[in-house]
C-alpha cells in the first residue's frame, strides 16, 4: 500500500485537505487556505525541527611534563582541593583560588604540556594598583573592607584553558509577524500577517576559551576575556618562573558543553540578525552542526586575589595580558538604604518645588504628592540598584562573538514565505449615558 501524506495546518496544526475547486489546501478546522508552496515550506520547517544538532569534537590528551625525578614540586589546598605547581624559586603562601593560607607542599606526577601559552605582560605592581582603583567610586562598599585589604597578596597564576576551533552551520525557521492597527467607533483591530522565515548559514570560530579548572569560577574567567592570541607562544618552562600554575582537572569532553553553548548561541544570533522588517519574531525550529571541531590546551596568565569579609570570600581576577579586571565586592546595606531614601527625598523635593512654580505658589493638585513620592522612590531604587550591580562585574559569557573568524559568515538560505492572515477585534467599552 502506498504511503499517505498527511499535511498539518501551519496555523492550528489540524489536517489539511486539497480542494479542487479552490486549487488550495484547506484546513477544515480554522478555514485557513494554503498554496502547495506554503505547505511544502511548512513541511521543510518540520523536518528542520526534527533534525538534531550534531556537536561532535575531536579530542586528544596532551603530553605529560615531568622533571628529571618524574615529579613536579607544588602545593595542594586542603580547603578547595586545588593542585598548584610552582618552581623552586616561587613560594606559595596561600591558595589563589580560595584564599586558604594552610596550603601544603606536595609532589605531583607532572602536569600536561600546553600546546601554547600567553606570558604575563602586566606586572604585580600594576595589578595591585588596578585592584586598589577598582575599590574607588564604589559608594556601597563597607568602610571596613578597604581598611583591612590584602592587595599585597595578589598571586600570578597560569590558568589552564581548552581552546576550541570549529566550522558551524545553522538552520533556523521562525514565525514572523507584521502588524497593522486601526480603530473605528466600535472596536480596535490588529491585522497580523504571519510569515514562515527560513535562514541557513555557516561561520568559523577560532580559539573559543573554556577554563579547565574546577576551582575557578567560570564567570570570572569569561569576564576577563578576550586574550590576544597573536602574542601566544610555544611552551617554555622559563615563563613559569616566579608564577604559580594550576593543573587542569576538567578534560576536553567535560568542557565541550560550554563550547557548544557559545557556538550555538552565536550562530543563532547571527541568523536572527538577518530577519528584519517584522513586528515580532519567534524561533520555530532550528539546529546547529559542527564540522572540524578540535581543541588545543593552553595556559593563560591571571592575577588573582581571594579575600574574606564577614565570613564570605570575595574574588578578584585580572587578565595578566590585557589588564582587564573583574571582581565582587560586599554591599553595605546601611549605605544602600541611605542612598535610596536620600535620592528619593531629593527627587520628591524637586517635584514639589516644580509644582509650586507651575501652579503659581498654589501647589494644590489632588493626589500629586502620592504620585511624586512613588516616582521618587522608583528613581531612587533604580539608582541604588545600578550602584549595586557595579559591585560585581564577573559576568558569564554565553556567546563567542570575539572568536568569530572575520568574514567567515555565509548566508546560504534567505527565504520569507507568507502563510496566513488573522485579524483580532477588541470591542470598545461603551460609556454610560451614551
Amino acid at each position: 500500500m502506498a504511503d499517505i501524506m498527511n499535511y498539518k495546518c501551519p496555523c492550528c496544526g489540524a489536517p489539511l485537505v486539497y480542494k479542487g475547486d479552490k486549487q488550495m489546501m484547506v484546513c477544515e478546522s480554522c478555514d485557513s487556505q494554503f498554496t502547495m508552496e506554503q505547505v511544502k515550506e511548512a513541511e521543510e520547517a518540520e523536518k528542520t525541527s526534527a533534525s538534531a544538532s550534531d556537536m561532535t569534537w575531536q579530542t586528544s590528551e596532551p603530553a605529560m611534563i615531568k622533571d628529571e625525578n618524574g615529579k613536579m614540586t607544588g602545593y595542594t589546598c586542603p580547603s578547595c582541593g586545588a593542585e598548584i605547581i610552582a618552581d623552586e624559586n616561587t613560594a606559595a603562601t596561600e591558595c589563589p583560588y580560595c584564599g586558604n593560607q594552610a596550603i601544603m607542599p606536595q609532589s605531583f606526577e607532572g602536569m600536561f604540556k600546553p600546546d601554547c601559552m600567553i606570558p604575563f605582560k602586566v606586572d604585580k605592581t600594576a595589578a595591585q594598583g588596578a585592584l586598589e582603583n577598582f575599590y574607588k567610586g564604589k559608594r556601597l562598599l563597607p568602610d571596613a573592607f578597604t581598611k583591612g585589604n590584602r592587595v599585597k597578596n595578589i598571586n600570578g597564576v597560569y590558568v589552564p584553558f581548552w581552546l576550541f576551533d570549529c566550522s558551524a552551520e545553522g538552520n533556523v525557521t521562525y514565525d514572523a509577524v507584521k502588524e497593522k492597527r486601526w480603530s473605528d467607533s466600535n472596536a480596535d483591530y490588529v491585522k497580523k500577517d504571519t510569515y514562515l522565515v527560513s535562514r541557513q548559514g555557516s561561520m568559523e570560530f577560532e580559539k573559543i576559551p573554556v577554563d579547565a579548572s574546577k576551582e575557578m569560577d567560570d564567570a570570572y574567567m569569561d569576564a576577563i576575556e578576550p586574550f590576544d592570541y597573536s602574542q601566544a607562544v610555544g611552551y617554555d618552562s622559563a615563563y613559569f618562573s616566579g608564577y604559580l600554575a594550576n593543573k587542569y582537572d576538567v578534560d576536553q569532553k567535560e568542557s565541550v558543553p560550554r563550547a557548544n553553548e557559545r557556538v550555538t548561541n552565536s550562530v543563532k544570533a547571527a541568523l536572527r540578525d538577518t530577519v528584519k522588517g517584522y513586528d515580532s519574531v519567534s524561533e520555530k525550529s532550528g539546529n546547529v552542526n559542527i564540522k572540524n571541531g578540535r581543541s588545543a590546551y593552553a595556559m593563560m596568565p591571571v592575577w588573582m586575589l581571594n579575600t574574606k569579609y564577614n565570613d564570605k570570600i570575595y574574588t578578584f581576577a585580572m587578565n595578566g595580558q590585557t589588564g582587564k579586571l573583574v571582581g565582587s565586592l560586599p554591599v553595605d546595606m546601611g549605605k544602600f538604604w541611605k542612598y535610596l531614601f536620600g535620592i528619593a527625598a531629593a527627587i520628591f523635593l524637586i517635584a514639589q518645588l516644580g509644582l509650586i512654580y507651575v501652579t503659581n505658589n498654589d501647589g494644590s493638585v489632588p493626589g500629586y504628592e502620592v504620585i511624586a513620592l512613588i516616582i521618587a522612590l522608583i528613581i531612587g531604587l533604580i539608582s541604588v540598584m545600578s550602584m549595586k550591580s557595579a559591585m560585581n562585574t564577573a559576568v558569564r559569557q554565553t556567546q563567542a562573538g570575539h572568536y568569530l573568524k572575520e568574514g567567515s559568515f555565509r548566508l546560504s538560505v534567505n527565504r520569507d514565505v507568507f502563510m496566513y492572515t488573522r485579524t483580532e477585534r477588541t470591542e470598545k467599552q461603551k460609556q454610560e449615558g451614551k
Side-chain angles (χ1 to χ4, degrees):
M1 181 181 292
D3 292 337
I4 298 175
M5 297 297 293
N6 293 314
Y7 296 102
K8 295 180 179 180
C9 174
C11 182
C12 71
L16 293 174
V17 295
Y18 181 74
K19 297 290 186 179
D21 56 336
K22 298 180 178 180
Q23 299 287 293
M24 301 281 279
M25 298 291 287
V26 177
C27 175
E28 296 181 334
S29 177
C30 67
D31 296 326
S32 297
Q33 300 181 20
F34 305 94
T35 65
M36 286 304 300
E37 180 189 14
Q38 292 171 327
V39 172
K40 289 179 179 179
E41 284 289 339
E43 185 184 15
E44 285 298 316
E46 287 292 330
K47 290 180 180 178
T48 299
S49 178
S51 177
S53 297
D54 181 8
M55 311 289 281
T56 304
W57 298 83
Q58 298 176 11
T59 59
S60 60
E61 189 172 273
M64 184 75 76
I65 303 172
K66 294 183 179 181
D67 62 19
E68 60 272 13
N69 299 316
K71 303 277 188 179
M72 298 202 71
T73 303
Y75 303 87
T76 183
C77 176
S79 177
C80 70
E83 294 183 338
I84 306 155
I85 306 297
D87 65 21
E88 60 183 7
N89 299 315
T90 305
T93 59
E94 67 175 41
C95 176
Y97 292 96
C98 70
N100 182 51
Q101 297 187 2
I103 60 177
M104 302 166 59
Q106 185 172 330
S107 293
F108 301 120
E109 295 293 337
M111 65 179 291
F112 291 104
K113 180 181 179 180
D115 297 302
C116 65
M117 58 187 298
I118 293 179
F120 274 87
K121 190 173 182 180
V122 178
D123 64 22
K124 187 170 186 176
T125 301
Q128 290 171 329
L131 186 54
E132 290 174 342
N133 288 331
F134 184 75
Y135 295 158
K136 296 178 181 179
K138 303 297 191 295
R139 298 181 180 180
L140 302 183
L141 188 66
D143 296 332
F145 182 80
T146 53
K147 291 179 181 177
N149 77 76
R150 299 162 51 246
V151 173
K152 65 180 180 180
N153 293 333
I154 192 169
N155 290 295
V157 185
Y158 279 100
V159 177
F161 278 81
W162 294 109
L163 306 181
F164 291 90
D165 296 353
C166 71
S167 299
E169 183 176 275
N171 192 338
V172 186
T173 58
Y174 310 87
D175 283 329
V177 178
K178 293 181 179 180
E179 295 184 358
K180 182 179 181 181
R181 298 173 180 268
W182 71 95
S183 301
D184 58 25
S185 59
N186 297 317
D188 297 320
Y189 302 89
V190 181
K191 180 186 176 185
K192 296 182 177 181
D193 292 337
T194 299
Y195 292 76
L196 185 64
V197 176
S198 301
R199 295 290 186 270
Q200 183 173 335
S202 61
M203 58 196 70
E204 296 179 24
F205 295 91
E206 295 179 317
K207 297 181 174 61
I208 302 171
V210 177
D211 72 89
S213 172
K214 291 179 180 178
E215 293 79 26
M216 179 58 66
D217 188 323
D218 294 339
Y220 282 84
M221 293 299 95
D222 287 354
I224 63 173
E225 294 179 14
F227 290 93
D228 180 2
Y229 295 123
S230 67
Q231 298 179 5
V233 298
Y235 167 74
D236 189 326
S237 60
Y239 290 115
F240 286 118
S241 180
Y243 299 99
L244 306 176
N246 185 214
K247 292 179 67 178
Y248 86 71
D249 51 11
V250 179
D251 64 25
Q252 293 156 295
K253 292 181 180 179
E254 291 178 277
S255 300
V256 160
R258 287 187 60 207
N260 285 348
E261 177 190 21
R262 297 183 71 171
V263 169
T264 298
N265 290 340
S266 295
V267 170
K268 288 190 174 184
L271 294 175
R272 173 63 181 83
D273 286 343
T274 67
V275 183
K276 302 180 184 298
Y278 297 96
D279 296 294
S280 65
V281 179
S282 59
E283 183 179 321
K284 182 180 178 69
S285 60
N287 58 64
V288 175
N289 298 312
I290 285 178
K291 298 179 180 179
N292 303 317
R294 57 198 178 278
S295 61
Y297 180 50
M299 301 292 280
M300 302 298 189
V302 180
W303 287 105
M304 292 188 60
L305 171 67
N306 283 276
T307 187
K308 184 178 288 187
Y309 179 78
N310 286 348
D311 297 324
K312 184 177 179 180
I313 297 294
Y314 293 90
T315 301
F316 305 89
M318 172 188 278
N319 186 316
Q321 179 194 36
T322 66
K324 184 177 181 180
L325 175 68
V326 298
S328 61
L329 293 168
V331 174
D332 185 328
M333 292 309 297
K335 291 185 177 181
F336 179 94
W337 294 112
K338 183 185 76 172
Y339 277 106
L340 191 157
F341 291 121
I343 294 171
I347 297 295
F348 182 73
L349 178 60
I350 293 172
Q352 288 292 91
L353 293 174
L355 176 66
I356 292 174
Y357 177 79
V358 170
T359 58
N360 296 321
N361 298 320
D362 181 3
S364 57
V365 176
Y368 178 84
E369 288 81 2
V370 175
I371 296 173
L373 179 60
I374 293 173
I375 293 174
L377 286 171
I378 292 174
I379 294 175
L381 182 61
I382 292 173
S383 299
V384 294
M385 290 306 294
S386 177
M387 295 180 194
K388 187 177 180 181
S389 66
M391 304 295 278
N392 187 350
T393 57
V395 180
R396 186 171 177 271
Q397 298 291 326
T398 59
Q399 294 192 23
H402 287 302
Y403 310 101
L404 178 63
K405 186 176 180 180
E406 186 175 357
S408 67
F409 179 48
R410 298 286 186 272
L411 190 64
S412 55
V413 174
N414 183 8
R415 187 165 56 245
D416 299 48
V417 178
F418 171 73
M419 299 302 291
Y420 57 87
T421 295
R422 287 286 180 270
T423 300
E424 299 175 358
R425 184 177 188 273
T426 304
E427 293 284 347
K428 291 182 177 179
Q429 293 184 349
K430 299 293 184 179
Q431 297 183 8
E432 293 186 4
K434 290 188 179 181

